[in-house]
Amino acid sequence: MISRLHERYRKDLVPALMRDLGCTNRMAVPRLEKIVLNMGLGEASQNPKLLDAAVEELAAISGQKPVVTRAKKAIANFKLREGMPIGAMVTLRGERMLVNVALARVRDFKGVPDRAFDGRGNYSLGLREQVIFPEINLDKVEKIKGLTVVICTTARSDAEGKALLRALGMPFRA
């Protein structure tokens, strides 16, 4: 079963992007590769319960089990040893990444910044609160945590990546 966003991409957006970007081949049109959700918790070294809550929240948001990320190096000033758990991340691929997200619950929302591209068509979005997602039960939230969303595309430039995300409905600032 194909999601309606994937169906819309194949039928409507690919021909429009071919026309806009000047591509002659359908396979040259940029597409989504993966979406990575990352929640870094530096305080998890002192309070391991924060990490358990973050794993539960990321699982509720993404629909799959997150991976616990560990420290690569020991940093004495942060009381951090090598191998200590400091965050959680999920990589969404295929049909799981083709979801609609409403950013209307973000405070004072005027659109997402268009300067967050990395030079190769990938987009990073930082969210200050994880409670904007309706899957999270507000009664169970102990602490407001930030979340980073990285959208990886096959675009070769920022302009192509921006054209793809705009066509998919990303609300960039004017």
Side-chain angles (χ1 to χ4, degrees):
M1 189 165 135
I2 298 175
S3 69
R4 76 189 142 84
L5 189 60
H6 189 236
E7 191 71 29
R8 185 174 145 239
Y9 172 77
R10 283 194 313 169
K11 290 201 167 139
D12 301 335
L13 301 182
V14 168
L17 286 171
M18 283 178 68
R19 192 173 48 253
D20 294 344
L21 298 175
C23 300
T24 56
N25 188 351
R26 291 179 70 87
M27 297 305 289
V29 174
R31 61 188 174 278
L32 291 178
E33 274 186 351
K34 63 183 175 180
I35 297 177
V36 180
L37 305 174
N38 184 23
M39 199 177 276
L41 299 166
E43 311 92 49
S45 58
Q46 281 84 25
N47 188 359
K49 287 188 177 183
L50 281 177
L51 191 64
D52 296 336
V55 167
E56 284 180 25
E57 290 167 359
L58 270 179
I61 292 169
S62 66
Q64 68 186 45
K65 185 179 177 191
V67 174
V68 174
T69 56
R70 300 187 175 274
K72 293 180 181 170
K73 292 171 65 174
I75 302 172
N77 290 343
F78 297 129
K79 298 178 185 166
L80 187 66
R81 292 194 182 93
E82 184 177 345
M84 288 179 85
I86 55 169
M89 67 169 277
V90 175
T91 302
L92 303 172
R93 297 177 193 270
E95 291 295 320
R96 286 186 186 250
M97 72 176 168
L98 296 173
V99 294
N100 292 328
V101 176
L103 293 172
R105 291 179 71 172
V106 177
R107 285 189 207 151
D108 301 328
F109 184 70
K110 296 178 182 81
V112 294
D114 59 350
R115 296 183 308 261
F117 285 94
D118 66 348
R120 298 183 182 200
N122 303 320
Y123 185 76
S124 296
L125 176 67
L127 302 173
R128 294 178 188 205
E129 302 173 339
Q130 84 279 20
V131 295
I132 66 167
F133 294 99
E135 295 88 0
I136 294 181
N137 187 359
L138 293 175
D139 298 333
K140 291 184 180 179
V141 174
E142 297 174 17
K143 185 177 181 207
I144 302 293
K145 295 177 277 294
L147 176 73
T148 305
V149 179
V150 180
I151 301 171
C152 299
T153 66
T154 60
R156 293 181 291 276
S157 67
D158 288 347
E160 288 183 7
K162 188 174 181 180
L164 170 67
L165 293 179
R166 180 166 277 142
L168 287 171
M170 181 75 83
F172 288 109
R173 286 187 188 140

